[in-house]
Amino acid sequence: MTAHAGEDLARRLDELAGFVVELAAGRLDARLEPSHQSDEIDAIVVGLNMLAEELQGLTHDLEGRVVERTRELADAHAALERLAHSDPLTGLANRTLLHERLREVERASAVPAVLVLDLDGFKAVNDSFGHEVGDALLVAVAERLRAVVRETDTVARLGGDEFAILVHDATPEQALDIAERIRTVLAAPVVVQGRTCWVSASVGVRLGTRPGGATDDFLRDADTAMYHAKARSRGGVSVFAPAMRREAQARTRLADELRSALFTGQLVVLYQPIVDLETDHVVAVEALTRWRHPERGFLTPDTFLSVAEDTGLITALDLWVLETAAAQVARWRADVLGDAPFTVHVNVSPVELRAPRFVEDVVDCTRRHGLAPQDVTVEITEHRLLGDDALTREALEGLRAAGVGVAIDDFGTGSSSLGYARRAFVDEVKIDRSLVSDLDVDEQQMRITTAILVMAHAFDLVPIAEGVQTAGEADALRRIGCRFGQGYYWSPPVTATDLELRLRRQRA
Ligand code: C2E
Ligand code: CA
Ligand code: CA
């Protein structure tokens, strides 16, 4: 080998080494020109150039795929975010997002307001038309709600038929205006799957007082105000006031106390006679609950029934009353009554009436105590019969089929029950106290009550007049053909012991 050839080889090896270093450093676009001597070094150079080419292509592909995968990841993340922050049914914000927005609002210089609304009568729609119609109704309501606020405000579904709106910046007038608009847009009926549904909403409003204040309690306060609105009248609006919070706390405490009262024997059942106007004999009793409260004394149902209904305790309470009254009547049957016809009336909340096992529970209870189904009559308050829903109808039919009596309570004060009466789902009507008082002196009253009695007889319903307080009223009732009565004139609700004395006297 000549010296020149040796130098040339060393240079080429140097170049080759430099090229390898460059490739190894990731500069894949580097190339080395072969010397065209077609020797082994050139073969290596050509090979390395091809490798670089190939690597470059692979990297390019890889980059493309990394970009693609990264985009997919971002999409998935966004979808997850949406899922975590939105209500799947309506696409509205969910509770989590609403809380986040509330925290954002704390940092802004605006005065926020929160509205919470709960649909009235949604459960009845769901129960009678099915969940599909219920869902479609919620979607329609969501759309209407979105239309009453600005894009920057947040409309959320909190669950069930409860919605919330966070208005990012509003004067009290503007917030109340939104509440009013909600009522207006919901007033138009919603037609879903050929069914016309009427809804309304009770709205609670929590007004912000200054920018940047804590919003932790806004949702809870608006909720409290909403309950307040609902309790007053359906479809109403209430603005939160601190007194409402105290009231809500008191209700929570009452609910806790009632729960334990049920199991510690603080509840008692009183019995008010139902009298045959022709003989003045007690032919039935109505069982009425009282609560012997350890601090507050004797409480009547108006102080605790709505709490019992809101918390679902009403089911246990009504069944306990039924159980107690049935056991009592069974004892009276054995001790004093013999075979004389005698019925015990129990009041049943519409919530309880629609419970799945209700009819079985009633029948089972009479059987266990050796009573006939005819010995028990279930009273349901007229204005609380929720429209014409399937569950209520089934329960009434079930009771009738089993032989248990059904009476409509407070008859003449509501509007929904004539349908039930006409289709023979009931046996008796209890003419409301307001139609009985002053019957003997008020001619107008006399005409109305007479008409109601004519109607009751036309449908084969046995009328029982409630709240009879004077001999004059009792006489007037006899004259217009009302056979049965109940009221202070004969007796207030009394203890089992007192009623038993009366039954014994009657027998003697
Ligand atoms: P209601 O079923 O209409 O019962 C009649 C109410 O009128 C009773 O009130 C009774 O004490 C009262 N009353 C009876 N005679 C007269 C009268 O001559 N004059 C006047 N002014 N009032 C009279 P109470 O016991 O306070 O019960 C109120 C309501 O609470 C009942 O009205 C009934 O709807 C409900 N209730 C009572 N006990 C129960 C129960 O165990 N379960 C359920 N779900 N509701 C009950
Ligand atoms: Ca009653
Ligand atoms: Ca009544």
Side-chain angles (χ1 to χ4, degrees), residues 257-276:
E257 289 175 349
L258 181 59
R259 196 167 293 120
S260 64
L262 256 171
F263 301 104
T264 53
Q266 288 175 22
L267 293 183
V268 280
V269 177
L270 297 187
Y271 300 87
Q272 185 174 32
I274 295 173
V275 171
D276 183 334

Side-chain angles (χ1 to χ4, degrees), residues 281-463:
H281 276 183
V282 180
V283 289
V285 284
E286 176 172 5
L288 294 158
T289 323
R290 294 290 179 273
W291 179 359
R292 251 192 256 277
H293 192 283
E295 288 136 37
R296 298 170 60 190
F298 230 50
L299 300 181
T300 49
D302 55 311
T303 43
F304 58 88
L305 273 187
S306 73
V307 167
E309 289 196 341
D310 287 352
T311 51
L313 279 171
I314 190 72
T315 307
L317 190 146
D318 280 351
L319 285 178
W320 177 81
V321 172
L322 172 68
E323 191 67 36
T324 310
Q328 184 59 62
V329 171
R331 275 197 296 275
W332 284 334
R333 271 233 171 285
D335 299 347
V336 254
L337 289 166
D339 292 334
F342 193 84
T343 319
V344 61
H345 289 231
V346 291
N347 294 282
V348 162
S349 140
V351 181
E352 167 64 357
L353 186 69
R354 297 142 110 247
R357 282 190 39 89
F358 174 68
V359 176
E360 280 152 283
D361 284 342
V362 175
V363 174
D364 180 56
C365 177
T366 56
R367 199 172 297 141
R368 254 184 304 110
H369 291 289
L371 297 176
Q374 290 74 17
D375 293 343
V376 175
T377 291
V378 166
E379 293 193 3
I380 306 135
T381 303
E382 171 174 53
H383 67 268
R384 306 206 42 205
L385 277 173
L386 300 163
D388 195 0
D389 77 286
L391 282 179
T392 304
R393 218 174 324 128
E394 264 168 43
L396 296 182
E397 275 171 338
L399 289 171
R400 296 283 322 267
V404 176
V406 176
I408 290 187
D409 210 345
D410 306 338
F411 192 71
T413 57
S415 54
S416 59
S417 52
L418 254 188
Y420 286 97
R422 200 178 51 232
R423 276 170 297 154
F425 294 139
V426 285
D427 314 81
E428 298 173 345
V429 286
K430 298 192 73 177
I431 312 288
D432 190 63
R433 191 160 74 217
S434 61
L435 292 163
V436 172
S437 77
D438 291 341
L439 193 61
D440 48 334
V441 286
D442 183 339
E443 220 177 291
Q444 174 90 356
Q445 181 86 307
M446 188 67 172
R447 272 203 292 272
I448 296 171
T449 308
T450 307
I452 286 187
L453 278 179
V454 167
M455 198 164 67
H457 285 130
F459 290 125
D460 266 340
L461 298 166
V462 177

